[in-house]
Amino acid sequence: MPYSGPPRSTVQVPAPITILAQERPLLPVWQNELGGLTFQIGDGEERSFAKWAPAGSGLDLAAEAERLRWAGSFTSVPRVRDYGEREDGAWLVTEGLSGESAVSPRWTADPATAVRALGTGLRALHERLPVAACPYSWSVGHRLERARLAGMEAPEDLPDPPPIDHLVVCHGDSCAPNTLLHEDGSWSGHVDMGALGVADRWADLAVATWSTEWNYGPGWEDALLDAYGISPDPMRTDFYRRLWGAT
């Protein structure tokens, strides 16, 4: 699987990020397989985070800014401070939330607490975001069409979608790193919401449970589902994991 995580080597700071930081400390904290970078600007309660998406990466920070502004009326997500773009890429600056990533060293050393927070946090997100008022889609058809326009073809063995279990506003990238935890181990908020949209809740649950294996090792999927308050559904889990790989 392509690497996403804290930078493993020195990264070049894009000029717009340097300008935004001014004289404040600047720390690269994340990179993804598409070339995107996230930097922490400043520290303490006044810290902010700047994302950089290189041109041609396929990362749509404008869409994320729009979705964060919408979701922020209902649940705990970063507040947008600035968005801009130029020929070589785009940037998005958000305020820092309290807490730290569920994959920080503290929480990977305590997976029972982290996984419980992932489940309760995802359930809270799904309950708080209003489906009827959401202008964004993350449906199967929407995702396959976007993949087609991007030149990706769905695998021939992708089965027909299972019946909808329950429509919610999905996070769209419910992997463990995108949930923040308070000091006491409760969930604090969610980040990286560029794909947010209405879909079956299993579109999020399939990926959230999958990510427990990537981040904490095998054996934690049922604990997440239990914290969410739902029984395993192997059919829907399998389908939405295949769809994740295809889109």
Side-chain angles (χ1 to χ4, degrees), residues 53-130:
S57 66
L59 298 168
D60 191 346
L61 296 186
E64 181 170 2
E66 184 179 314
R67 284 161 172 76
L68 286 174
R69 292 187 179 105
W70 179 82
S73 297
F74 308 102
T75 191
S76 178
V77 299
R79 178 179 295 182
V80 176
R81 283 188 175 178
D82 186 43
Y83 169 80
E85 57 184 279
R86 61 182 206 175
E87 288 186 358
D88 58 343
W91 62 91
L92 171 64
V93 182
T94 59
E95 294 181 1
L97 293 177
S98 62
E100 60 181 349
S101 169
V103 298
S104 68
R106 173 180 178 177
W107 298 120
T108 54
D110 184 6
T113 299
V115 169
R116 184 169 58 251
L118 295 177
T120 57
L122 188 59
R123 180 61 178 257
L125 181 77
H126 288 170
E127 291 181 343
R128 292 180 180 185
L129 296 177

Side-chain angles (χ1 to χ4, degrees), residues 7 11 17 26-32 35-40 48-52 92 94 192:
V11 300
I17 305 300
L26 184 62
L27 176 68
V29 294
W30 199 262
Q31 66 181 132
N32 65 36
L37 293 167
T38 302
F39 298 85
Q40 179 178 306
S48 59
F49 291 87
K51 282 188 170 184
W52 172 256
L92 171 64
T94 59
D192 287 354

